[in-house]
């Protein structure tokens, strides 16, 4: 009985403390540890969105860049922000582990923020003030000024590359997959994780944006820098309570070995009995607290990597588990591609949507609404939607589907994709109306303010928040949940990568459409003067893209096979792990 009690106290998923020792369930992990992680994310998101939300306005008003250039510089930087997590995931999984990768990256992150604050504060690091209505007539920033500013931005991007894929994974690691109670808690973790993200974002999109527009950029950037410093301190304070996963080697190398081995043995026949394939003993996985995965019939060509032909080279022979891990990461790629277009739509929130707001009446009495503050409504809508989804929608759907999540993750993503189509239809119709009013009041050529309230843009911002509650939350949970246990950071970086590619795609589409529509003396859809532009056509183009992407999504999910959550081998491994915990506890008892 004493042995069973001791066994239950230790986590069974292979998590350890920073010294590599097994951890007691009652001492580390759970919501106690997650509290530090979630609060960290509130302050860190405040810092990040304090910079990104209003960046297009700073580039336009302070660095004197036009519509296309400023928008593309924002999306290129944001794209880099979301692409660098691939590198961060690699370093965490292959070398430093999630915790130390996060700590080192945080130092780089805060360094970039400090330099950026100096860049917007010192007069010598920015061009002189310009009152011209056309930024093309203003003095441009010097090479040195641009080097310091963008150097700081991209230093910050490198730092976030190590923090983004690891912080959410660290949070999820605090729940033991082998414990049913903790496993149930993890189902709600990603919803509340997103809640914390958007709570910090709300502060940035309202208070910080207002300070930047009405008080000054020094204080407007100084506060996010202070917020980041606070967030890092909060995270480090929780160190005694964290559970850690041991680095399991480079996922890219393991995947490459499988692909190379399969190609080198492309003529080899696959045996009918999976037991004839190469696989390690359960004890080997038990020692590392890993799962052994059974062979599956999907992507059968890769199974050739496990066929025994005499060679034991890791580039000629791979275990079944290694092959199945590779299959799972490859199976998710079509889903990954299907999220690129909606990520491009999200990029419009901080670029063209805000640019539209600068042309409208922003006054409420004597108070002027900063255009970037409209993104706060995305946050509010998201927060409300997540709560309603978690509390009511899931419970309602559980009665019909018997699925603990209410609907599958892919169904939830599909709902988000449909909402994105609706958003761009509304955005196109709204912009068409704004242009007609501008024309009726003779404001096309003089760039005057259109006599319409900025709140006509509100529907597209609110719906974007609802779309996030479905698509973005499900996307993050899907790529984490479906990734193999040893590649969780890489799986999380998939979710980040979609946003990165989406932003780069936004830059490409904006430049391409702007250039094509101006060719051969045509007027052009996207100009510095939005009253003379045709963003309504551009948004209609996005409607078509979203619809085609939704059709593609329906096709790929039809063939997607969910990762098997519990297999016979995992049940056996559970017993093996439990036996190992008993032995550890008995050894400690004998020592005492």
């Amino acid at each position: 009985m004493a042995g069973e009690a001791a066994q239950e106290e230790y986590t069974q998923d292979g998590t350890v403390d920073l010294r590599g020792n097994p951890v007691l369930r009652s001492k580390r992990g759970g919501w106690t540890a997650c509290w530090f992680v979630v609060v960290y994310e509130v302050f860190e998101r405040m810092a990040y969105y304090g910079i990104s939300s209003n960046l297009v306005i700073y580039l336009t008003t302070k660095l004197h860049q036009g519509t296309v250039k400023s928008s593309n510089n924002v999306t290129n930087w944001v794209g880099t922000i979301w692409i660098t997590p691939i590198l961060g995931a690699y370093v965490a999984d292959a070398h430093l582990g999630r915790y130390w990768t996060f700590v080192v990256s945080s130092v780089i992150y805060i360094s970039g923020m400090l330099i950026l604050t100096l860049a917007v504060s010192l007069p010598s690091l920015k061009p002189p003030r310009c009152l011209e209505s056309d930024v093309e007539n203003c003095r441009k920033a010097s090479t040195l000024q641009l080097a310091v500013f963008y150097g700081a931005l991209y230093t910050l991007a490198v730092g976030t590359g190590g923090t983004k894929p690891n912080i959410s994974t660290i949070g999820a690691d605090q729940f033991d997959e082998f414990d049913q109670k903790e496993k149930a808690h993890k189902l709600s973790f990603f919803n509340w994780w997103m809640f914390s993200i958007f709570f910090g974002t709300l502060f940035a999109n309202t208070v910080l944006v207002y300070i930047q527009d009405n008080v000054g950029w020094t204080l407007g950037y100084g506060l996010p820098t202070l917020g980041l410093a606070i967030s890092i301190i909060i995270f480090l304070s929780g160190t005694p309570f964290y559970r850690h996963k041991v680095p399991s080697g480079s996922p890219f190398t393991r995947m490459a070995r499988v692909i190379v081995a399969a190609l080198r043995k492309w003529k080899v026949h696959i045996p009918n009995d999976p037991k004839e394939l190469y696989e390690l003993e359960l004890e080997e996985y038990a020692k590392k607290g890993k799962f052994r995965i059974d062979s599956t019939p999907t992507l059968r060509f890769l199974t050739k990597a496990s066929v025994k032909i005499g060679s034991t080279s890791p580039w000629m022979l791979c275990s079944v588990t290694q092959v199945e891990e590779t299959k799972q990461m490859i199976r998710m790629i079509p889903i990954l591609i299907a999220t690129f277009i909606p990520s491009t739509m999200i990029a419009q929130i901080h670029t063209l949507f805000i640019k539209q707001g600068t042309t409208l009446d922003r006054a409420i009495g004597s108070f002027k609404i900063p255009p970037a503050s409209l993104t706060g409504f995305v946050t509010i809508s998201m927060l409300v939607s997540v709560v309603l989804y978690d509390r009511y929608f899931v419970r309602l759907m559980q009665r019909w589907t018997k699925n603990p999540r209410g609907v599958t993750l892919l169904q939830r993503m599909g709902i988000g994709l449909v909402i994105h189509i609706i958003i761009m239809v509304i955005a196109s119709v709204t912009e068409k109306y704004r242009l007609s009013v501008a024309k009726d009041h003779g404001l096309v050529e003089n760039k005057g303010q259109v006599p319409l309230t900025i709140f006509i843009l509100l529907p597209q911002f609110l719906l974007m928040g609802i779309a996030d509650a479905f698509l973005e939350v499900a996307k993050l949970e899907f790529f984490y949940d479906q990734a193999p246990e040893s590649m969780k950071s890489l799986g999380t970086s998939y979710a980040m990568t979609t946003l990165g590619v989406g932003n780069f795609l936004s830059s490409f589409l904006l430049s391409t459409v702007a250039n094509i529509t101006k060719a051969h003396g045509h007027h052009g859809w996207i100009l510095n003067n939005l009253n003379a532009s045709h963003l309504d056509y551009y948004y209609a183009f996005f409607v078509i893209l979203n619809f085609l992407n939704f059709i593609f999504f329906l096709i790929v999910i039809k063939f997607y096979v969910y990762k098997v959550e519990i297999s016979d081998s995992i049940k056996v491994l559970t017993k093996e792990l439990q036996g190992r915990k008993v032995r550890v506890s008995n050894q400690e008892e004998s020592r005492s």
Side-chain angles (χ1 to χ4, degrees):
M1 294 296 291
E4 291 181 5
Q7 162 196 329
E8 290 301 320
E9 289 186 17
Y10 283 94
T11 57
Q12 300 174 42
D13 59 354
T15 48
V16 296
D17 61 18
L18 281 177
R19 296 181 179 179
N21 300 315
V23 295
L24 292 169
R25 192 185 309 282
S26 59
K27 299 295 184 182
R28 289 174 178 264
W31 282 109
T32 301
C34 277
W35 171 253
F36 293 95
V37 176
V38 170
V39 173
Y40 159 86
E41 192 66 7
V42 172
F43 282 91
E44 190 277 333
R45 291 293 82 185
M46 180 194 79
Y48 168 70
Y49 283 104
I51 302 300
S52 65
S53 294
N54 220 16
L55 183 57
V56 70
I57 299 298
Y58 184 86
L59 294 178
T60 302
T61 60
K62 299 300 180 181
L63 297 187
H64 312 144
Q65 298 179 357
T67 298
V68 174
K69 187 174 183 179
S70 61
S71 296
N72 283 350
N73 279 332
V74 171
T75 49
N76 287 338
W77 174 69
V78 174
T80 305
I81 285 279
W82 293 110
I83 287 292
T84 50
I86 296 177
L87 177 62
Y90 166 76
V91 173
D93 285 340
H95 301 291
L96 298 182
R98 291 159 191 165
Y99 178 85
W100 289 114
T101 301
F102 176 88
V103 171
V104 172
S105 299
S106 294
V107 175
I108 300 173
Y109 193 171
I110 193 70
S111 299
M113 292 287 287
L114 288 169
I115 298 171
L116 189 62
T117 302
L118 289 176
V120 303
S121 303
L122 300 178
S124 59
L125 293 179
K126 52 188 177 181
R129 186 180 180 188
C130 179
L131 299 177
E132 292 281 345
S133 60
D134 189 350
V135 295
E136 295 298 329
N137 299 325
C138 296
R139 180 178 168 183
K140 303 301 180 183
S142 68
T143 302
L144 175 62
Q145 291 167 342
L146 290 176
V148 173
F149 185 79
Y150 286 115
L153 278 180
Y154 283 91
T155 298
L156 184 161
V158 172
T160 59
T163 60
K164 280 183 185 295
N166 291 303
I167 186 63
S168 60
T169 313
I170 288 172
D173 286 346
Q174 306 312 307
F175 300 101
D176 187 351
E177 281 284 338
F178 285 92
D179 183 84
Q180 290 303 315
K181 185 177 180 181
E182 290 194 13
K183 188 174 181 179
H185 287 162
K186 186 185 282 191
L187 291 178
S188 292
F189 169 72
F190 284 106
N191 277 341
W192 293 105
W193 172 253
M194 293 297 290
F195 187 95
S196 70
I197 288 176
F198 284 90
F199 190 80
T201 305
L202 179 61
F203 182 84
N205 291 339
T206 51
V207 177
L208 292 181
V209 164
Y210 177 81
I211 290 173
Q212 290 165 0
D213 279 13
N214 296 280
V215 179
W217 293 93
T218 299
L219 183 61
Y221 275 30
L223 287 176
T225 303
L226 178 62
L228 179 63
I230 292 173
S231 71
I232 294 171
I233 292 171
I234 289 172
F235 175 82
L236 294 176
S237 299
T239 299
F241 303 100
Y242 298 142
R243 301 172 185 172
H244 305 278
K245 291 285 182 72
V246 178
S248 54
S250 167
F252 297 109
T253 302
R254 294 204 304 278
M255 292 172 65
R257 286 173 174 170
V258 170
I259 295 170
V260 170
L263 289 172
R264 293 173 71 178
K265 294 188 288 186
W266 67 279
K267 292 184 178 180
V268 173
H269 174 72
I270 300 174
N272 294 326
D273 186 357
K275 293 180 180 179
E276 295 181 24
L277 299 172
Y278 174 68
E279 181 58 289
L280 302 177
E281 295 296 327
L282 274 171
E283 183 62 28
E284 292 295 319
Y285 293 103
K287 289 177 181 178
K288 300 178 181 179
K290 292 183 179 180
F291 295 138
R292 191 173 82 174
I293 308 175
D294 297 331
S295 181
T296 62
T298 59
L299 297 174
R300 187 169 172 78
F301 174 78
L302 294 178
T303 305
K304 292 176 183 289
S306 298
V307 178
K308 302 173 187 177
I309 60 171
S311 174
T312 58
S313 166
W315 294 93
M316 280 293 288
L317 185 64
C318 303
S319 68
V320 171
T321 295
Q322 186 177 343
V323 170
E324 292 304 317
E325 288 175 340
T326 303
K327 285 183 181 181
Q328 192 55 39
M329 297 306 297
I330 292 175
R331 276 198 293 261
M332 291 192 290
I333 290 177
I335 306 296
L336 181 75
I337 294 172
T339 61
F340 290 165
I341 295 299
S343 294
T344 301
M345 302 306 105
I346 293 173
Q348 310 315 307
I349 297 174
H350 299 295
T351 53
L352 295 181
F353 283 10
I354 292 177
K355 284 280 193 178
Q356 283 178 279
T358 62
T359 69
L360 298 166
D361 181 9
R362 298 182 282 126
I364 299 181
S366 59
F367 177 76
K368 273 201 166 186
I369 302 171
S373 287
L374 284 182
T375 56
F377 288 101
V378 177
T379 306
I380 294 170
S381 175
M382 165 67 180
L383 294 176
V384 173
S385 298
V386 165
V387 173
L388 293 178
Y389 184 93
D390 201 37
R391 297 296 182 185
Y392 300 103
F393 182 82
V394 170
R395 294 178 183 178
L396 178 64
M397 295 305 296
Q398 280 175 342
R399 298 176 184 175
W400 294 347
T401 65
K402 308 304 180 184
N403 187 315
R405 288 189 172 96
V407 294
T408 67
L409 293 173
L410 291 177
Q411 288 170 339
R412 184 173 180 178
M413 290 168 66
I415 295 171
L417 292 178
V418 171
I419 297 174
H420 272 288
I421 297 173
I422 297 171
I423 290 169
M424 298 320 297
V425 169
I426 292 174
S428 180
V429 172
T430 302
E431 176 63 8
K432 188 176 182 65
Y433 176 59
R434 189 191 71 81
L435 290 174
S436 68
V437 173
K439 183 178 181 180
D440 292 343
H441 288 79
L443 301 172
V444 173
E445 298 301 329
N446 64 11
K447 301 182 181 180
Q449 184 183 86
V450 180
L452 286 172
T453 175
I454 194 172
F455 289 113
I456 66 166
L457 301 177
L458 195 57
Q460 61 204 56
F461 282 93
L462 290 174
L463 282 173
M464 195 67 80
I466 297 173
D468 282 349
F470 281 92
L471 179 58
E472 293 307 303
V473 176
K475 183 175 71 177
L476 179 60
E477 187 175 353
F478 174 81
F479 288 123
Y480 176 86
D481 180 78
Q482 294 295 293
E485 287 299 316
S486 60
M487 298 183 182
K488 290 298 187 186
S489 290
L490 181 59
T492 304
S493 72
Y494 267 26
M496 314 294 179
T497 301
T498 67
L499 292 170
V501 174
N503 275 274
F504 286 127
L505 186 57
S506 176
S507 296
F508 170 76
L509 291 174
L510 186 63
S511 297
T512 302
V513 171
N515 290 332
I516 290 176
T517 55
K518 284 192 298 184
H520 308 297
H522 289 92
H523 186 66
W525 287 3
I526 306 153
L527 309 171
N528 289 340
N529 179 6
L530 290 190
N531 290 350
S533 300
H534 267 296
L535 286 184
D536 54 336
Y537 295 169
Y538 189 54
Y539 292 157
F541 168 64
F542 278 159
V543 172
I544 297 172
L545 272 184
N546 276 283
F547 179 76
L548 294 176
N549 183 69
F550 180 64
I551 300 299
F552 172 73
F553 177 78
L554 292 179
I555 294 172
V556 297
I557 65 172
K558 184 177 180 180
F559 297 99
Y560 183 77
V561 179
Y562 278 94
K563 181 182 75 173
V564 177
E565 193 168 7
I566 296 293
S567 68
D568 290 338
S569 64
I570 292 177
K571 292 177 182 178
V572 174
L573 179 57
T574 302
K575 296 178 181 178
E576 289 286 338
L577 284 168
Q578 289 173 346
R580 181 164 63 91
K581 303 305 179 184
V582 172
R583 291 194 293 273
V584 170
S585 62
N586 288 340
Q587 288 171 5
E588 292 187 351
E589 287 176 3
S590 63
R591 288 172 188 167
S592 60

